[in-house]
Structure formats: structure tokens, C-alpha cells
Amino acid sequence: MLLKSKPEDFIVEEINDLHLHESGSYSYYKLKKTNLETNSALQKIADLWKINPKYINIAGNKDKVAITTQFLSISKGPEKDLKTENLELTFLGKKNDRLNLGTLDGNKFTITVRKISAEERINLLKNTQRADFLFVNYYDDQRFGIEKNNHILGKLLVKKQFKEAAELVCKRDHYPYTEAKKWQEKYPNDSIGILRTLPKKLLLMFVFSYQSWLWNETAKQYVAVKLGDGKYSVAHYNLGELFFPTEKLENKQIPLIGFDVEHDDEDVQQIIAEIMTQEQITERDFLIKQMPEVTASGGKRMLLSNCSDFSSKEIDGETMEFTFTLGKGSYATMVIKQLFC
């Protein structure tokens, strides 16, 4: 199958009940973008309106190769619209509090899948006929960045290897990494200073990316342990293999490893202990005293999730369109991968 062959094949609409007013400290907007990364869109808005990007807030990042609609807030932002070649910003109203990461209800997706093979059609029919079909709530490629190494940067921060992290950051050649490169040229030995030229939200995103990779590894090994060989299918993503159950699996919370993570399931405990030994980390490593702004606590994420309002239709012999809604933090690409696996 082929996903995201062009932006119009992947349409995302953020669901968020904003309860806006006519007055307030923060201006709210609807942002529609095409084939544009979220951070690049925010930087373009900041440049055109001469606003510091730190005053622009969103509820979640959206895919690049897609047509996406989401909301954003700007502290004391202008009450007007903005339109360029690949983004459109519409002023909606005001509130006294800003938008924060995670403050959304979910996302609605319309996805076109092309070049579907005969085997994939058999898998799709089998999965859609299962009354108990739930998808494993893995993080997908988008979480790990275009360079596919955001989790590596996060690991370097967690392990306090700031020099190596700064060197990796400076290999990127677009904004805001160009600012890090300028600092490196002036102060080559100031690794933490180099890193701190980047927005705090971006630095923290690297650590979150590492936590996400650790969660994926924990979840896939849990699937293997609980079901055993032959009872799960294998698919690939940018960072390796993922296991999808072919039989019913009990849902449960899987920890996101951080400095205060809790887990009481013996199988999960053993899996996490083995992963952390392999990674040569401890939970306390996520307390980063040298850069407290990227300290990351633990959390929990449901192993399995479902999608609502699901529908599909044939476009031609090799092409189908799917429409469904997901809760926040779940990946539509992962739903599609599991449907065809």
C-alpha cells in the first residue's frame, strides 16, 4: 500500500471546543496548511507578523505531507486573517488563557490509500470483520522527525551527553537549528548554550520522542510476551518492527518511562527493566539538573485504542478512502497499517 503519496491523500481536522469570547489576552485562529510542517508554519506566521514564536501556542503537531486544519493562540495577536501559498490563518475570537499542548478532543481523518495489494485486501477484510478489533496505540514515524533521530537527541539529553546532542543539532540546516549553528561558531565549547538557542518546547519534544520510542519497544514486547509466536503480525516503521495482535488481547496501561514512573504488572516490570539495561539508563536520568526545562516525568498510555465514526469506500481496484475519528495522541497512520497487516 502507499500512504501520503500527495497532501490531499491525508486530510486532518482538529476537534476542539474552544468557547471563545470577544475579548481576552489571547487571540485564537484556525490554521489550514498544505504540505508544510507545523513548526515551519508557526515560524512563517511569526516572521510575517513580526511576533516572537514563543507567543504562539498549539494543541498538537500535525503531519507535513497532508492538508491539516488546527487551532492556535497568540498572546495579544492581531485580529485579522493571513493567507500565503500554503497556509491560511483565520481569526476566530479571544480568551484569557492560551492553547496548550494536549488540550484538544481529537482529530478527524480522511485518508486515501493507494496501491493496495491482494494480500492487503484480505487482511483488511479479516480485520474489519473482527468484532474485537482495536489497534495498538503505537507512536508512528511523525513522532521521530524528518531526520528520524529525534529520539536519539532525546536519549543524549537524558544521558547528559550535551556535547554529542549539540553536534547532532548543528547538523540540521534549517531554522531554528541555524541559530544553534551560529552559537556553536561563536562558543564551540558551550554545548548547553548551543542547545538553549532552540525553543524549550522543541528540546522537550526530543525527550518526549525518546519516551515514545521506549513506549513502542515496551508495548511490542508486551504483545509478544502475552500472545506468543504466531499470534501477532509484524509490520515496519522508520525505527524498526512493530507487533500487531491477531487475537484478542486485554487492554491495559503501559508506562511512559520518566523520573516518577509507576508500573505494577510483573511482565511490564521485567520488559522495562530489560530495555533500560540495554539503553543504560535509569528512571532518575530523566531528571536533568543541568537543563531542568527538559526534565520529563513518567506517565501512562493505553496499550489499545479504537477509532470512532469509521467508514470506507472504494475509489478503484487499488485505491480506498477511509474516514474516522481518533482521540488525542493517537496516530491515524498506525490505524491504517494495522488494518492492512
Side-chain angles (χ1 to χ4, degrees):
M1 67 173 176
L2 182 62
L3 268 172
K4 296 185 177 182
S5 59
K6 45 189 175 181
E8 52 265 40
D9 284 353
F10 201 87
I11 300 172
V12 188
E13 300 172 68
E14 188 172 274
I15 303 169
N16 210 330
D17 194 356
L18 298 174
H19 300 291
L20 298 176
H21 309 285
E22 293 184 0
S23 61
S25 302
Y26 295 88
S27 297
Y28 275 69
Y29 308 82
K30 179 184 286 186
L31 168 64
K32 182 178 181 180
K33 62 182 183 64
T34 302
N35 201 29
L36 185 64
E37 192 212 2
T38 301
N39 286 328
S40 298
L42 301 185
Q43 186 59 50
K44 181 177 285 191
I45 293 167
D47 290 342
L48 289 170
W49 279 352
K50 295 180 172 47
I51 295 171
N52 190 319
K54 72 179 183 180
Y55 296 122
I56 304 177
N57 289 278
I58 56 173
N61 288 300
K62 296 291 183 284
D63 301 78
K64 177 184 177 182
V65 185
I67 299 174
T68 70
T69 302
Q70 67 188 108
F71 301 98
L72 63 85
S73 66
I74 302 177
S75 176
K76 300 178 181 179
E79 298 180 21
K80 61 181 181 180
D81 302 340
L82 175 66
K83 189 172 184 178
T84 71
E85 181 181 1
N86 51 2
L87 72 80
E88 184 175 347
L89 197 64
T90 305
F91 174 72
L92 300 175
K94 296 196 168 191
K95 285 182 74 173
N96 279 321
D97 53 334
R98 71 181 192 183
L99 202 57
N100 289 298
L101 286 173
T103 53
L104 72 159
D105 298 319
N107 294 284
K108 180 181 178 182
F109 297 89
T110 303
I111 298 174
T112 302
V113 183
R114 303 181 186 276
K115 297 187 177 180
I116 302 170
S117 69
E119 180 182 356
E120 288 168 338
R121 279 193 172 274
I122 292 172
N123 292 336
L124 174 65
L125 180 62
K126 175 185 64 179
N127 286 321
T128 52
Q129 287 181 340
R130 281 175 55 187
D132 64 336
F133 179 78
L134 295 170
F135 69 95
V136 184
N137 204 17
Y138 290 120
Y139 296 92
D140 210 350
D141 299 334
Q142 306 94 305
R143 186 70 164 179
F144 307 103
I146 297 172
E147 291 86 356
K148 306 174 187 178
N149 64 359
N150 281 355
H151 66 301
I152 300 298
L153 273 164
K155 179 178 179 178
L156 291 172
L157 292 173
V158 167
K159 292 178 70 67
K160 321 300 189 293
Q161 294 177 315
F162 303 116
K163 179 180 178 182
E164 292 84 351
E167 289 173 351
L168 191 55
V169 159
C170 290
K171 289 181 180 178
R172 300 186 178 186
D173 58 4
H174 56 281
Y175 186 89
Y177 305 103
T178 47
E179 298 302 308
K181 183 67 175 177
K182 291 176 184 176
W183 194 272
Q184 184 191 48
E185 290 170 354
K186 289 183 179 180
Y187 311 104
N189 297 319
D190 183 14
S191 298
I192 290 179
I194 293 168
L195 293 168
R196 280 182 166 151
T197 63
L198 302 179
K200 292 179 183 179
K201 288 182 287 188
L202 180 56
L203 289 171
L204 193 56
M205 185 191 72
F206 296 144
V207 179
F208 289 161
S209 180
Y210 184 46
Q211 289 180 305
S212 302
W213 179 81
L214 292 170
W215 191 94
N216 277 5
E217 292 297 301
T218 304
K220 85 172 189 183
Q221 291 185 36
Y222 182 82
V223 170
V225 167
K226 284 297 182 183
L227 294 180
D229 293 340
K231 296 182 180 179
Y232 59 86
S233 57
V234 181
H236 294 83
Y237 76 131
N238 282 343
L239 303 185
E241 292 182 337
L242 296 173
F243 303 155
F244 302 142
T246 53
E247 295 188 2
K248 187 173 181 178
L249 181 65
E250 182 183 358
N251 201 2
K252 71 176 289 86
Q253 290 184 325
I254 299 292
L256 279 158
I257 298 173
F259 70 81
D260 60 350
V261 67
E262 296 180 2
H263 43 88
D264 52 13
D265 183 285
E266 289 186 6
D267 290 326
V268 173
Q269 283 182 340
Q270 183 175 349
I271 291 167
I272 288 178
E274 291 173 357
I275 290 173
M276 293 178 75
T277 298
Q278 293 168 3
E279 289 293 293
Q280 298 182 326
I281 59 169
T282 69
E283 293 161 354
R284 297 288 295 177
D285 286 335
F286 287 83
L287 275 171
I288 306 173
K289 295 180 180 178
Q290 298 91 333
M291 296 183 69
E293 65 269 30
V294 294
T295 287
S297 61
K300 292 184 178 181
R301 179 179 175 89
M302 294 304 298
L303 173 67
L304 305 175
S305 189
N306 63 357
C307 52
S308 58
D309 305 319
F310 181 87
S311 66
S312 63
K313 68 177 181 180
E314 296 277 350
I315 304 298
D316 58 45
E318 293 185 326
T319 310
M320 294 184 69
E321 181 185 276
F322 298 88
T323 302
F324 52 88
T325 300
L326 294 178
K328 61 183 180 181
S330 294
Y331 288 76
T333 48
M334 199 55 69
V335 174
I336 299 297
K337 288 176 182 178
Q338 293 182 61
L339 283 171
F340 285 98
C341 184

